[in-house]
Amino acid sequence: MTALVSAFARAADRVYARLGESAVYAQKPPGTVTKSVTVMVERNLTQYGTTISIQERTAVLSVRSSDIALAPRRGDTFTLAAGTIFAVESQLTSDTSIEHKVTAVQR
């Protein structure tokens, strides 16, 4: 890992510790992975970037690559500590050294 990537990873750890929400990640069947993770949830968006329109009940979730090595897939779920469940719709970005970012619909 380069010094720059290490610095970004440390910064991401601090942001997740301060602003992240506890959740349980579960792969869709036939996956068997369930894991406690910390996610950042961007809610109440109408636009993400220049090309993605966000529908009601859709959020952008970010999870650290150190929590989940492979990017979440469509149908995988994140259950927040408060009980809200988000089902992954699509992958926005995946930087295997820092984080995965997905759109997810609240169930």
Side-chain angles (χ1 to χ4, degrees), residues 1-12:
M1 192 180 298
T2 68
L4 184 58
V5 171
S6 294
F8 279 126
R10 285 191 305 276

Side-chain angles (χ1 to χ4, degrees), residues 90-105:
S90 64
Q91 181 178 332
L92 293 175
T93 63
S94 181
D95 180 345
T96 57
S97 61
I98 298 176
E99 71 180 0
H100 307 289
K101 195 172 287 273
V102 298
T103 59
V105 176

Side-chain angles (χ1 to χ4, degrees), residues 17-51:
R18 181 169 167 88
L19 303 174
E21 299 181 45
S22 295
V24 173
Y25 166 70
Q27 284 184 337
K28 68 177 181 176
T32 58
V33 172
T34 57
K35 185 171 186 186
S36 294
V37 298
T38 301
V39 295
M40 302 252 298
V41 183
E42 298 175 64
R43 297 174 174 90
N44 302 320
L45 301 173
T46 56
Q47 187 79 22
Y48 188 84
T50 58
T51 59

